[in-house]
Amino acid sequence: MKSLGRSRRDFLKAAGCAMSATAISSQLVFGRDCNRIGDAVSSLQQAGNGVEYTLHIKASPVEIAPKRTVSMITYNGQFPGPLLRFKEGREVTVEIFNDTDTPEQLHWHGQKVSTDVDGASEEGTPFVPAHGKRRISFVPGPSGLRFYHTHNRAGANLAAGQYGGEVGLAYIEPREEPGAYDREVFLVLKEFEPRFSRGGDMAQDFLFPSTHDKVLEESGERAMKASLAKGMPKGYEVEYEAFTINGRMLGHGKPVRVKQGERVLFHVLNGSATEIRSLALPGHSFRVIALDGNRVPNSATVPVLWVGTAERVSAIVEMNHPGVWVLGDLDDEDRKRGMGIVVEYAGRTGKGQWIAAAKSKWNYAKFAKAGARASDPDQTLEMTFAKDNAAEEGFNRWTINGVAYPMTADSAPAAFHLTQGKRYRIRMKNESDDIHPIHLHRHSFELTNVAGKSMAGVMKDVMMLGGYQTAEVDFVADNPGLTLFHCHQQLHMDFGFMTLFDYV
């Protein structure tokens, strides 16, 4: 294997700066009729000088369980970061202080903002300087569940990027609220104490359709076999020791307290750097009303939520099965290590109970508009995603159409050119066996085809593309400026899986 240049070695060792992380917030459980939005949020308001919210990026210890504390970079010394509530269409000013030694980016994920605000250096957003600050103003939108997080790359530094605690929810209140629920519960799913491992791909049998493209599979398997035949090990992956919901391991946080007959709207964010998560609540089902903050055409009911990295699901649960239950991940080992939270009915006490959920498939088409057909695009952009096994000193290199985004501080020219107002279709082919949570900055896209099945009406900003599968998403070029497109799995984006659009 050829040696890396000095700048790339620096990236592998430290890219994204030395950050440690761990933090915990309050329960993030709020009623619709409650004026209080938690001490953490209210403390940000009334900042004066026209600033509605103030955020401090800082190193903090976070207790995830008794006598188990993780050190991490946080927002305002807590994990998750403060829940920020915005009004759709009403300009807001946020002041961001960076109390660390490393320049930082704060990305407003899922919002239609300018490149100056978006929080991605690849688009030209200015860094928040070390021990400095930035004041930004923007009009929040679209409405629904969004979030904010660091956009620093981590490389081989498991204390940097989203491996730490720089994740917080942003909820943009719509001009008109449907109100078909009694109260809201906000949940952030996140793992801590990461370490590198070899191989260990996640099973993908929860995705539907599960059809593999034979041509993609043969090509990907051929490339992997050739790499292994040369004596290369499988590329590094990341695994974790601690699993949390709202920064606390199962059994060590306040329960979600409910009353029989309540309709509880759960807003769920997968704030992981790398993992896909599932959630089930014994004896209950989820009526999904929004994906990535966007209302779905068909509010389908499902027994299990599957949430890809950076995806959000908003779902109503009717509390009609009294008891003390565990709302948790289907994976027994992950749940034992903390990925769950207790749901406690009024008048019931005891240890939270878990009953294994029946197997079910996650199908985006369930939430699509029945019988509808997506509009024809003005242009189709072809993309093929491929893995070069262990090609970067043991890390997998990822390419889009054969090109890896620079793994240095160097900027790259835009690979795709857009005309404002046109509708584009991105036709994606996954030539690897990995699931990719695909994210487009500063725009929302419509799912138009997943694994050969056409659909319409589901708007998102992240979608899970299965291994050896194809998908098509459409978006309208209506927000000029450089626009980043990437896999939201931290290891993948750090090692090449990014590209840029520009407007011409």
Side-chain angles (χ1 to χ4, degrees):
M1 175 171 34
K2 75 175 183 179
S3 63
L4 302 179
R6 181 177 179 83
S7 60
R8 185 166 293 184
R9 281 192 184 279
D10 291 342
F11 169 81
L12 291 171
K13 291 179 180 177
C17 62
M19 300 180 196
S20 54
T22 300
I24 176 173
S25 80
S26 56
Q27 180 71 22
L28 293 183
V29 177
F30 313 120
R32 287 182 57 233
D33 57 350
C34 187
N35 293 323
R36 168 180 74 83
I37 307 185
D39 295 338
V41 178
S42 58
S43 68
L44 296 177
Q45 298 176 341
Q46 310 303 325
N49 299 320
V51 177
E52 284 82 8
Y53 292 104
T54 301
L55 293 171
H56 281 264
I57 303 169
K58 59 192 293 187
S60 306
V62 175
E63 185 185 74
I64 61 175
K67 298 182 180 180
R68 190 164 184 175
T69 298
V70 183
S71 177
M72 63 181 79
I73 304 299
T74 67
Y75 296 120
N76 290 20
Q78 63 179 74
F79 182 84
L83 169 64
L84 307 183
R85 280 190 181 267
F86 302 131
K87 294 285 188 181
E88 184 183 18
R90 182 184 298 176
E91 187 177 65
V92 65
T93 298
V94 180
E95 195 157 52
I96 307 164
F97 290 85
N98 182 2
D99 301 333
T100 76
D101 296 330
T102 304
E104 268 286 353
Q105 288 284 356
L106 190 154
H107 173 45
W108 298 98
H109 186 117
Q111 295 205 49
K112 190 177 176 180
V113 293
S114 69
T115 57
D116 184 65
V117 168
D118 188 48
S121 61
E122 296 83 4
E123 297 172 344
T125 309
F127 280 91
V128 184
H131 301 287
K133 66 179 181 179
R134 277 198 81 207
R135 180 180 292 188
I136 58 174
S137 296
F138 59 95
V139 178
S143 64
L145 185 63
R146 313 292 158 184
F147 75 116
Y148 58 100
H149 62 84
T150 181
H151 214 280
N152 280 14
R153 286 192 270 171
N157 182 359
L158 292 180
Q162 281 196 253
Y163 298 116
E166 291 175 86
V167 177
L169 287 167
Y171 188 76
I172 303 173
E173 298 174 357
R175 293 183 176 92
E176 295 182 4
E177 176 57 65
Y181 56 92
D182 298 306
R183 66 190 184 95
E184 299 168 293
V185 174
F186 292 82
L187 302 176
V188 179
L189 317 182
K190 187 78 164 72
E191 309 85 10
F192 294 108
E193 300 176 355
R195 65 171 183 263
F196 288 119
S197 62
R198 291 282 190 183
D201 295 331
M202 178 182 178
Q204 303 182 33
D205 56 352
F206 68 92
L207 288 176
F208 185 88
S210 57
T211 311
H212 285 184
D213 183 294
K214 295 302 181 183
V215 173
L216 295 175
E217 186 170 18
E218 289 171 5
S219 178
E221 292 295 312
R222 186 167 55 249
M224 176 59 77
K225 287 178 181 177
S227 175
L228 297 177
K230 294 177 182 178
M232 298 291 287
K234 285 190 173 182
Y236 287 116
E237 303 289 349
V238 175
E239 58 186 23
Y240 303 85
E241 284 295 320
F243 298 75
T244 70
I245 294 183
N246 289 351
R248 297 291 281 188
M249 298 176 72
L250 175 61
H252 300 296
K254 294 179 180 178
V256 177
R257 293 188 169 93
V258 300
K259 297 177 181 178
Q260 187 170 358
E262 274 189 321
R263 297 163 301 172
V264 178
L265 174 55
F266 285 92
H267 294 294
V268 181
L269 161 67
N270 182 356
S272 177
T274 60
E275 301 300 291
I276 293 166
R277 297 260 61 99
S278 58
L279 273 185
L281 180 61
H284 301 76
S285 57
F286 303 88
R287 183 165 63 86
V288 175
I289 65 169
L291 296 175
D292 293 350
N294 305 303
R295 288 272 167 175
V296 295
N298 181 39
S299 297
T301 298
V302 296
V304 178
L305 300 179
W306 285 93
V307 194
T309 308
E311 284 190 308
R312 289 89 65 210
V313 177
S314 297
I316 293 173
V317 177
E318 293 189 10
M319 294 300 164
N320 53 15
H321 194 56
V324 182
W325 304 107
V326 171
L327 172 63
D329 198 285
L330 297 188
D331 187 280
D332 292 338
E333 188 62 31
D334 290 356
R335 202 174 57 257
K336 288 175 183 176
R337 294 188 181 189
M339 188 52 74
I341 190 169
V342 173
V343 174
E344 180 182 282
Y345 275 76
R348 301 301 180 101
T349 59
K351 186 178 180 181
Q353 300 299 305
W354 172 258
I355 300 174
K359 285 191 175 182
S360 66
K361 301 286 188 178
W362 185 253
N363 182 4
Y364 288 124
K366 282 186 177 180
F367 314 109
K369 189 174 182 180
R373 180 181 178 275
S375 300
D376 292 330
D378 296 305
Q379 185 178 342
T380 298
L381 309 175
E382 303 280 352
M383 294 189 187
T384 299
F385 311 140
K387 173 169 64 178
D388 294 335
N389 177 61
E392 295 288 347
E393 293 197 350
F395 291 90
N396 297 323
R397 181 197 297 126
W398 294 94
T399 63
I400 299 177
N401 293 346
V403 178
Y405 196 89
M407 285 161 270
T408 65
D410 298 334
S411 60
F416 299 91
H417 309 290
L418 311 175
T419 300
Q420 187 169 357
K422 286 192 174 183
R423 180 182 177 93
Y424 291 89
R425 176 162 295 168
I426 306 175
R427 180 173 293 143
M428 300 176 287
K429 299 176 181 178
N430 184 3
E431 208 173 80
S432 77
D433 57 355
D434 295 61
I435 298 178
H436 297 300
I438 301 297
H439 174 46
L440 178 65
H441 281 229
R442 306 191 317 107
H443 299 74
S444 295
F445 53 70
E446 181 181 8
L447 303 186
T448 55
N449 191 289
V450 176
K453 302 296 183 183
S454 296
M455 65 185 73
V458 175
M459 301 299 298
K460 298 185 95 278
D461 55 64
V462 179
M463 68 89 60
M464 289 183 282
L465 173 61
Y468 302 132
Q469 290 195 328
T470 62
E472 295 176 0
V473 299
D474 289 14
F475 72 100
V476 175
D478 58 1
N479 196 13
L482 284 172
T483 299
L484 188 62
F485 174 95
H486 65 91
C487 177
H488 216 285
Q489 212 269 34
Q490 185 87 50
L491 266 183
H492 297 180
M493 65 174 280
D494 286 351
F495 288 91
F497 203 143
M498 296 199 292
T499 193
L500 282 167
F501 299 95
D502 67 2
Y503 283 67
V504 294

